[in-house]
């Protein structure tokens, strides 16, 4: 074990005025402070980074780093988690500074992949996230099916089958269907443009059966129990309560929650505008008195005084808008704390419960679909198929049962 490993972390590593990498540490410290990291966390990150960079000094301030280089420099076998956290934060800092060298996935046919992505974006009108997913599938397949010396015209049916079989070991049936559908789209593009042999795109994808699984919807009494159990005396509690209140009373998706801004709320007209990604439209909903009170309390007392226009922000560094993942994590935590026997439930359970509650109030299924942002009424029907109590009204009597209506 080296002497440096013994002495770390020492208080003298928190102060870096005489360090040969002081310029790096000074800028990194300013970024940490601007990103709302706590004082203790900033000192720990500065100490770790100084300990990691000084053996490689001198380091020009304009030097760029790749992920592989960071993993070699900011590492310590005795404190792997602590160094991993600093490495992640330093990587975010480098990206904002434009000094992070992105490592593109290995692919000898990058021009083909780029042309395919341009086709998806310009001709098919797909969203950027969808294009990125389909690009990753294409690159993964080309790297697996085409070793050095082979070209796309050499792809065979066996190559496709081996790739699908390997992915089947890693994915669920639903995910595998999405992955193979993306692969078939890529191969069809290659065949149409003369890059691959004809017929290579014709292969079966896993079957998914309509209504093979029931969605999980929280009954309304449990929804109220969940909302009431959230401690609203803290900023985090006020934020989580506001998020799940909107999902429960308006049926919003987590992705729609992340897109809400301060300008989405019209306090004079008492409306809230929701950008619906799937239908690429904006839905204007009435803002109830109770919803307005929930949002006003969060904005006044729980929301950070930040220049961000996004409505719901992370309260722990690095600062920024909430993501779908952070909403899911908050939901699981709140369900556990509330004592509701729905462990493993996703936030979509609130959306499903909203749909069932509207059906209980005899709202037309087409209106429910419009509120949920569904393009097809069949999609809405999938949300409501678990409403078994409503089926009792149309059930036929058993043979041999007395019935007065005949």
């Amino acid at each position: 074990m080296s002497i440096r490993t013994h002495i770390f972390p020492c208080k003298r590593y928190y102060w870096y005025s005489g360090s040969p990498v002081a310029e790096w540490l000074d800028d990194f410290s300013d970024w940490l402070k601007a990103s709302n990291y706590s004082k203790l966390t900033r000192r720990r990150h500065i100490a770790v980074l100084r300990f990691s960079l000084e053996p490689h000094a001198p380091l020009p301030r304009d030097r760029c780093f790749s992920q592989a280089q960071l993993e070699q420099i900011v590492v310590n076998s005795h404190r792997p988690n602590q160094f991993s956290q600093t490495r992640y934060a330093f990587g975010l800092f480098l990206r904002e500074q434009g000094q992070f060298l992105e490592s593109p996935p290995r692919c000898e046919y990058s021009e083909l992949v780029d042309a395919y992505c341009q086709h998806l974006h310009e001709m098919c009108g797909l969203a950027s996230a969808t294009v990125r997913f389909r690009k990753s599938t294409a690159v993964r397949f080309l790297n697996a099916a085409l070793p050095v010396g082979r070209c796309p015209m050499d792809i065979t049916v066996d190559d496709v089958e081996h790739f699908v079989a390997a992915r089947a070991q890693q994915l669920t049936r639903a995910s595998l269907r999405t992955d193979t559908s993306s692969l078939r789209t890529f191969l069809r593009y290659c065949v149409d443009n003369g890059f691959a042999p004809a017929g290579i795109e014709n292969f079966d994808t896993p079957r998914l059966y309509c209504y093979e699984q029931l969605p999980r919807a929280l009954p309304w009494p449990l929804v109220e129990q969940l909302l009431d159990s959230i401690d609203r005396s803290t900023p985090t509690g006020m934020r989580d309560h506001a998020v799940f209140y909107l999902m429960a009373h308006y049926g919003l998706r987590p992705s729609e929650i992340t897109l809400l801004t301060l300008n989405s709320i019209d306090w004079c007209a008492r409306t809230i505008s929701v950008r619906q990604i799937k239908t690429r439209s904006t839905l204007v909903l009435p803002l109830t008195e109770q919803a307005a009170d929930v949002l006003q309390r969060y904005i006044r007392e729980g929301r950070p005084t930040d220049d961000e226009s996004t409505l719901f922000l992370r309260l722990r560094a690095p600062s920024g808008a909430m993501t779908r993942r952070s909403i899911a994590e908050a939901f699981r935590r709140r369900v556990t704390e509330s004592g509701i026997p729905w462990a493993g439930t996703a936030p979509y359970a609130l959306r499903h419960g909203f749909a069932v509650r509207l059906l209980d109030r005899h709202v037309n299924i087409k209106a429910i679909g419009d509120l949920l942002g569904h393009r097809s009424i069949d999609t809405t029907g999938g949300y409501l198929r678990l409403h078994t109590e409503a089926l009792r009204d149309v059930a036929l009597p058993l043979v041999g049962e007395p019935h007065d209506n005949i």
Side-chain angles (χ1 to χ4, degrees):
M1 185 181 298
S2 66
I3 298 177
R4 295 180 61 83
T5 305
H6 276 298
I7 65 176
F8 179 82
C10 178
K11 288 187 177 180
R12 68 183 182 87
Y13 276 91
Y14 299 144
W15 315 109
Y16 52 85
S17 58
S19 172
V21 292
E23 189 176 1
W24 279 99
L25 301 176
D26 199 29
D27 292 344
F28 185 48
S29 178
D30 291 341
W31 179 84
L32 291 172
K33 187 174 182 180
S35 300
N36 294 332
Y37 283 82
S38 67
K39 183 177 180 180
L40 181 60
T41 304
R42 294 201 306 268
R43 293 178 64 183
R44 187 180 72 245
H45 283 324
I46 289 298
V48 170
L49 189 62
R50 180 183 176 184
F51 179 83
S52 302
L53 294 185
E54 281 188 349
H56 303 275
L59 288 175
R61 180 59 186 83
D62 58 353
R63 172 175 171 174
C64 298
F65 293 86
S66 66
Q67 183 63 34
Q69 290 172 335
L70 290 182
E71 291 177 357
Q72 292 176 356
I73 295 174
V74 189
V75 63
N76 185 282
S77 59
H78 299 278
R79 295 174 177 82
N81 293 335
Q82 189 173 355
F83 276 69
S84 175
Q85 293 168 6
T86 301
R87 184 168 61 245
Y88 174 76
F90 188 56
L92 295 178
F93 163 75
L94 291 174
R95 284 182 172 88
E96 288 197 10
Q97 298 289 314
Q99 295 177 253
F100 188 84
L101 298 175
E102 298 288 350
S103 302
R106 180 186 64 84
C107 184
E108 298 181 7
Y109 299 96
S110 56
E111 293 184 2
L112 170 61
V113 174
D114 291 342
Y116 171 61
C117 293
Q118 185 176 1
H119 168 78
L120 294 177
H121 180 71
E122 296 181 357
M123 302 302 295
C124 301
L126 299 183
S128 299
T130 305
V131 173
R132 287 194 299 271
F133 170 76
R134 297 198 175 185
K135 177 182 178 180
S136 66
T137 301
V139 171
R140 188 182 296 110
F141 172 74
L142 291 175
N143 289 337
L146 297 179
V148 178
R150 296 185 63 190
C151 67
M153 286 299 296
D154 298 330
I155 296 175
T156 64
V157 175
D158 289 340
D159 293 330
V160 177
E161 290 182 350
H162 289 324
F163 177 79
V164 173
R167 295 295 287 167
Q169 302 298 320
Q170 305 167 354
L171 304 174
T172 63
R173 187 156 51 93
S175 298
L176 182 62
R177 177 183 173 87
T178 303
D179 204 53
T180 52
S181 297
S182 176
L183 174 61
R184 189 162 57 181
T185 302
F186 172 65
L187 293 178
R188 186 179 297 118
Y189 170 82
C190 293
V191 170
D192 292 343
N193 290 272
F195 298 118
I200 198 68
E201 78 283 11
N202 297 325
F203 60 90
D204 290 333
T205 60
R207 293 181 178 272
L208 294 180
Y209 300 97
C210 187
Y211 306 152
E212 63 178 281
Q213 290 184 346
L214 293 176
R216 307 184 72 178
L218 283 175
W220 191 247
L222 291 184
V223 173
E224 292 181 318
Q225 179 181 339
L226 172 64
L227 294 176
D228 291 340
S229 67
I230 298 176
D231 180 13
R232 278 158 276 173
S233 63
T234 64
T236 304
M238 284 183 277
R239 183 203 63 187
D240 291 351
H241 180 264
V243 167
F244 300 134
Y245 182 93
L246 291 180
M247 293 187 67
H249 287 80
Y250 289 89
L252 302 187
R253 301 180 178 92
S255 59
E256 294 167 350
I257 290 289
T258 62
L259 295 177
L260 290 176
T261 65
L262 294 174
N263 295 328
S264 299
I265 307 172
D266 189 334
W267 299 106
C268 297
R270 288 288 175 170
T271 59
I272 181 170
S273 300
V274 180
R275 289 169 54 195
Q276 297 184 319
I277 298 179
K278 290 193 173 181
T279 58
R280 298 188 179 183
S281 61
T282 299
L283 183 65
V284 180
L285 300 171
L287 187 66
T288 64
E289 290 293 334
Q290 187 174 1
D293 292 341
V294 170
L295 290 174
Q296 285 175 350
R297 181 180 178 186
Y298 160 68
I299 293 173
R300 286 196 309 263
E301 304 176 25
R303 187 178 182 276
T305 55
D306 199 292
D307 295 335
E308 288 270 353
S309 62
T310 306
L311 180 59
F312 294 108
L313 301 173
R314 294 195 298 264
L315 300 179
R316 297 179 62 184
S319 60
M322 289 191 75
T323 62
R324 289 179 295 176
R325 180 176 179 178
S326 60
I327 291 176
E329 291 174 351
F331 181 78
R332 287 193 293 268
R333 183 174 65 254
R334 297 301 179 181
V335 167
T336 302
E337 293 174 352
S338 67
I340 296 176
W342 281 74
T345 306
Y348 257 78
L350 297 175
R351 179 173 165 84
H352 294 152
F354 170 77
V356 172
R357 186 170 179 241
L358 290 182
L359 188 65
D360 284 337
R361 297 187 173 189
H362 308 290
V363 177
N364 183 277
I365 190 171
K366 178 62 172 62
I368 297 176
D370 292 340
L371 289 174
L372 294 176
H374 290 161
R375 294 177 178 174
S376 170
I377 198 172
D378 293 336
T379 305
T380 311
Y383 275 56
L384 304 175
R385 65 180 181 267
L386 50 74
H387 194 41
T388 54
E389 292 300 323
L391 299 178
R392 300 183 188 277
D393 297 335
V394 298
L396 296 175
L398 294 174
V399 177
E401 271 192 355
H403 37 276
D404 302 331
N405 296 333
I406 301 181

